[in-house]
Amino acid sequence: MRKFVFAAVAALLAVPAAAQQPPPPKLLVVISVDQFSADLFDEYRAQFTAGLARLSEGTVFRNGYQAHANTETCPGHSTILTGDHPARTGIIGNSWIDQSIARADKTVYCAEDPSAPGSSHSHYALSAMQLRVPTLGELTKARWPASRNVAVAGKDRAAVMMSGHRADQRWFWDGGRFATDLSVRQPPSIAVTNAAVARLLAAPSPALEAPPFCASKAQPIAVAGHAPVGTGAFARSAGDADAFEGSPAFDGAILTAAAGLTHDMRLGQGSAPDLLSIGLSATDYVGHYYGTEGQEMCLNLIELDREIGDFLSYLDSTGVDYAVVLTADHGGQDLPERARLHGVADAQRVDPALAASAVSKAIAADLGLTAPLLFGDSMGDIYVNRSLSSADQARVLAQALRIYRAHPQVEAVFTRDDLERVPVPAGSPDTWSLIERARASFDPQRSGDFVVILKPHVTPIGHVTKSVATHGSPWDYDRRVPILFWRPGFRGATVAAPADTVDIMPTLAALIDLPIAAGSVDGHCLDGTPAFCPQP
Ligand code: ZN
């Protein structure tokens, strides 16, 4: 069925080949596979036969890093095409607390305009205004106004962070269809794709057939408060949009929309280089709902490989000279119940007593104050309630630091003062200390009063409801991601030396001869890629 959607739409979009091979390429395609850790890439690389196999023939940085501590979707996507760590992009998390804003809801979504009437962190006015730096697409348009900056993604924040403040088209999945936040005319292919997806959703979908490699991973894992995971194969009942999002068919739909936009806008066929950013979100949902080491993730990655292969074949058929980068916004780890079976003895769920709300209640009882005293979760940025007197804020902070630092699941706690004293790290990301990782996620206006870092393999989901596994930590299973550069006719190598996702933007800029002033971004051009890096 997924194949059907892609094939049906691709047939409508077929254009005659118009061979043109001048360097630099006319179309940059940047693919982010949400939660595609370097661990998963390493594990599955030998199984890929289609799109991911093809991209693996380019230059593969198998030790890429989303180098910062808060390894969430919005910060991760903010690094890929700005060349900057979150300390510079300002995108410290998927959301943060701003106690200075007038509305009752003090939580700000990373891609909202909190000043827009009626906007809240859950029903927001979508905007790139929180992103403090320009994207590659914006800089390319500034240099060559004819250039098009286009994004399509499963998640709105992925599309916003990769395209930035000036996009020509930006489409994202909005609970059953692709939608946009821009005042633009809808390209015909979006209507075609939405109609095809609606037909797909309206029908039930049978389970995928597992190849032997995936079937060997099918083992039921019991999870308290949740149905067992590990043996799923994406059977879906008619109309179940949630199940669709958590299945590889979702990425098939996103790539179909990407192919459609390429066709309608004749991307890569104008006078200036175009940029197409694609956020593939299914892998993240599969990781959250089923973990990373069961049959579900295996089937998802095999399908992803095939779907990317179909998409690259479509690009080939346009005759456009294009180049591709594929990476991820963060990695992930398996659910602790299965990780322990696989020998990760210290894998465990976080103690619910570490939730900021629980710590807040304990301190309130102790100091005779009225909760809430703290805002935040059980890790990452935690904020002291600013409506307390400054003397009480100091008492609450001191007590909270004592409680978190004494807990056996806590690795480290850094205060705002600690982080302000540390320079933003610049060296190789594999060597960064914990506080340097946290510093790369620190923004003085948006960050918490302190940052809690849990011990490795402590999953920050205490009681399981929907998601059984997650990411977000400063540990390498969440930081390490693949970075693949590929261009037709270019054969690269697998590089073990570390790279940083902030290096992608200056490398692509070099590939299209877009000058980037020295020191203006955190990243640097990566040698050994299809780009010719400028000599310093
Ligand atoms: Zn993500």
Side-chain angles (χ1 to χ4, degrees):
M1 287 303 274
R2 294 158 316 285
K3 182 88 179 173
F4 167 76
V5 175
F6 194 96
V9 176
L12 291 172
L13 305 176
V15 294
Q20 48 174 323
Q21 295 287 325
K26 299 298 297 291
L27 175 62
L28 299 178
V29 178
V30 179
I31 302 174
S32 167
V33 179
D34 203 310
Q35 207 190 126
F36 190 32
S37 66
D39 291 331
L40 280 177
F41 178 73
D42 288 346
E43 180 182 353
Y44 282 92
R45 185 170 180 178
Q47 307 300 323
F48 297 139
T49 58
L52 287 165
R54 195 160 142 185
L55 298 182
S56 298
E57 291 173 358
T59 301
V60 175
F61 291 91
R62 57 177 294 268
N63 292 304
Y65 283 84
Q66 287 279 3
H68 51 275
N70 292 355
T71 48
E72 294 187 335
T73 295
C74 215
H77 282 99
S78 84
T79 70
I80 294 171
L81 286 172
T82 62
D84 290 324
H85 297 118
R88 216 159 173 168
T89 69
I91 306 300
I92 61 163
N94 284 341
S95 61
W96 53 85
I97 306 287
D98 183 350
Q99 299 182 63
S100 73
I101 54 176
R103 72 185 192 198
D105 170 26
K106 305 297 185 190
T107 302
V108 175
Y109 179 56
C110 62
E112 76 158 312
D113 175 359
S115 67
S119 191
S120 71
H121 81 276
S122 53
H123 292 90
Y124 39 80
L126 200 70
S127 169
M129 68 172 291
Q130 313 281 3
L131 180 64
R132 300 195 193 278
V133 292
T135 62
L136 178 65
E138 290 175 64
L139 295 175
T140 306
K141 283 180 79 66
R143 170 92 176 188
W144 298 291
S147 168
R148 276 83 52 85
N149 181 22
V150 177
V152 58
K155 297 181 184 176
D156 55 22
R157 56 186 176 275
V160 167
M161 292 301 146
M162 288 202 287
S163 55
H165 312 83
R166 279 190 70 203
D168 294 270
Q169 291 280 346
R170 175 158 69 206
W171 294 87
F172 47 85
W173 185 251
D174 188 20
R177 57 193 293 279
F178 289 97
T180 186
D181 61 311
L182 305 177
S183 301
V184 291
R185 204 160 57 85
Q186 176 174 292
S189 61
I190 293 293
V192 172
T193 304
N194 276 336
V197 174
R199 283 194 299 277
L200 189 70
L201 265 174
S205 185
L208 297 178
E209 199 169 317
F213 182 75
C214 295
S216 72
K217 289 175 169 286
Q219 182 190 4
I221 304 293
V223 181
H226 193 278
V229 299
T231 62
F234 305 112
R236 176 174 55 73
S237 50
D240 190 343
D242 280 354
F244 176 74
E245 288 172 29
S247 80
F250 187 32
D251 284 345
I254 297 164
L255 288 165
T256 301
L261 289 165
T262 305
H263 171 266
D264 289 346
M265 301 179 74
R266 303 178 67 83
L267 294 179
Q269 298 181 58
S271 58
D274 294 323
L275 176 58
L276 173 61
S277 305
I278 304 171
L280 300 179
S281 311
T283 300
D284 186 61
Y285 292 122
V286 171
H288 284 303
Y289 298 165
Y290 310 104
T292 60
E293 292 303 320
Q295 175 173 273
E296 299 94 342
M297 183 59 82
C298 187
L299 285 168
N300 172 66
L301 292 179
I302 299 301
E303 289 290 296
L304 175 70
D305 175 42
R306 185 182 58 71
E307 287 160 349
I308 291 175
D310 288 350
F311 177 67
L312 297 180
S313 296
Y314 170 72
L315 290 181
D316 294 341
S317 77
T318 66
V320 165
D321 183 14
Y322 67 100
V324 181
V325 175
L326 183 140
T327 189
D329 57 339
H330 50 75
Q333 67 169 336
D334 202 13
L335 62 155
E337 291 82 359
R338 184 166 47 214
R340 284 195 296 273
L341 295 178
H342 290 184
V344 185
D346 57 352
Q348 58 194 293
R349 295 193 176 276
V350 72
D351 179 356
L354 281 174
S357 57
V359 174
S360 170
K361 278 187 194 138
I363 299 173
D366 203 28
L367 298 183
L369 297 170
T370 304
L373 308 179
L374 299 172
F375 304 114
D377 297 318
S378 53
M379 67 171 204
D381 288 282
I382 298 185
Y383 303 74
V384 178
N385 190 334
R386 288 270 185 278
S387 66
L388 298 167
S389 70
S390 46
D392 281 343
Q393 288 182 43
R395 291 164 72 207
V396 168
L397 176 63
Q399 186 83 326
L401 294 177
R402 268 197 297 279
I403 290 172
Y404 279 104
R405 283 177 173 148
H407 196 284
Q409 286 185 329
V410 173
E411 176 79 15
V413 181
F414 302 123
T415 65
R416 164 177 289 275
D417 288 347
D418 294 336
L419 292 166
E420 281 177 340
R421 278 196 292 269
V422 176
V424 176
S428 190
D430 58 324
T431 65
W432 290 10
S433 65
L434 272 186
I435 197 168
E436 287 178 314
R437 299 172 198 190
R439 180 65 184 83
S441 280
F442 177 74
D443 179 287
Q445 286 182 358
R446 295 173 180 171
S447 291
D449 294 294
F450 61 98
V451 172
V452 174
I453 293 175
L454 299 176
K455 290 218 162 111
H457 306 120
V458 177
T459 298
I461 299 173
H463 298 301
V464 173
T465 51
K466 189 165 190 181
S467 290
V468 300
T470 193
H471 50 84
S473 84
W475 302 110
D476 280 355
Y477 49 77
D478 284 342
R479 290 173 84 221
R480 206 167 66 87
V481 295
I483 305 176
L484 279 53
F485 289 87
W486 182 87
R487 195 176 175 187
F490 174 88
R491 283 190 81 87
T494 294
V495 180
D500 193 315
T501 53
V502 301
D503 299 331
I504 292 171
M505 183 273 208
T507 304
L508 291 180
L511 185 59
I512 58 170
D513 296 332
L514 175 73
I516 298 292
S520 66
V521 296
D522 291 331
H524 66 271
C525 181
L526 290 165
D527 284 317
T529 66
F532 291 96
C533 295
Q535 295 307 306

